[in-house]
Amino acid sequence: MTHTRADYPLAETQPGAVTGKRGKSLAEITLDSVLAGDVTMEDLRITPQALQAQADVARDVGRPTLALNFERGAELVEVPQDFIMQVYELLRPGRAKSKQELLEAAATMRGTYQAERIARFIEEAAETYAARGLFTFRF
């Protein structure tokens, strides 16, 4: 389903359609359900679908860069936090030892986590870092 500006904010216009990982909708997350112990952290975590819906809205209002960021975020939802932090560290200028190190991270994003947009982003960074000499060279 493609969302438009009329759907914004999703939490208010479609609270039944926005769901957590276990499928519980925002409409089902009430103070009573929290107090009853029926809500877990998994019910509160963002999902790829919610981020894609936000991307649809952003694109509809003429914010393509924001939409792309939401789409990249959607790809990262299922990537383990420790790997995200590892890649983040590599992307800091002067931290990766070589272009190959970044290309390997991109291959993992693409192959293991199906994060195509993120993989392309890392590959673009690898090219830019190579062109600008931003790798750590140890003698």
Side-chain angles (χ1 to χ4, degrees):
M1 172 181 185
T2 300
H3 295 83
T4 67
R5 71 183 70 215
D7 298 315
Y8 184 82
L10 294 167
E12 293 176 19
T13 64
Q14 299 179 20
V18 178
T19 62
K21 194 170 183 175
R22 295 189 321 148
K24 189 178 292 286
S25 72
L26 286 179
E28 296 175 272
I29 300 174
T30 64
L31 182 57
D32 288 338
S33 65
V34 170
L35 293 173
D38 296 332
V39 177
T40 70
M41 284 305 296
E42 292 302 307
D43 298 318
L44 303 175
R45 292 190 204 296
I46 194 85
T47 63
Q49 296 80 9
L51 287 164
Q52 183 57 54
Q54 294 287 16
D56 292 344
V57 172
R59 191 164 280 110
D60 187 56
V61 299
R63 309 261 330 255
T65 304
L66 180 59
L68 182 57
N69 284 336
F70 279 128
E71 290 166 344
R72 284 194 290 243
E75 288 184 346
L76 289 173
V77 169
E78 300 301 327
V79 178
Q81 185 71 29
D82 62 330
F83 187 66
I84 291 172
M85 295 309 296
Q86 215 177 338
V87 173
Y88 171 77
E89 185 65 22
L90 286 175
L91 287 170
R92 295 176 66 200
R95 301 302 170 102
K97 294 179 182 120
S98 67
K99 180 179 176 180
Q100 186 59 36
E101 196 170 11
L102 287 173
L103 294 177
E104 288 170 7
T108 300
M109 283 291 188
R110 181 177 284 114
T112 303
Y113 303 109
Q114 292 72 52
E116 182 62 35
R117 289 177 185 89
I118 294 294
R120 284 195 311 264
F121 178 83
I122 296 168
E123 290 163 347
E124 182 181 328
E127 293 298 327
T128 301
Y129 289 17
R132 295 184 181 175
L134 297 176
F135 294 109
T136 301
F137 294 104
R138 301 194 188 247
F139 301 99

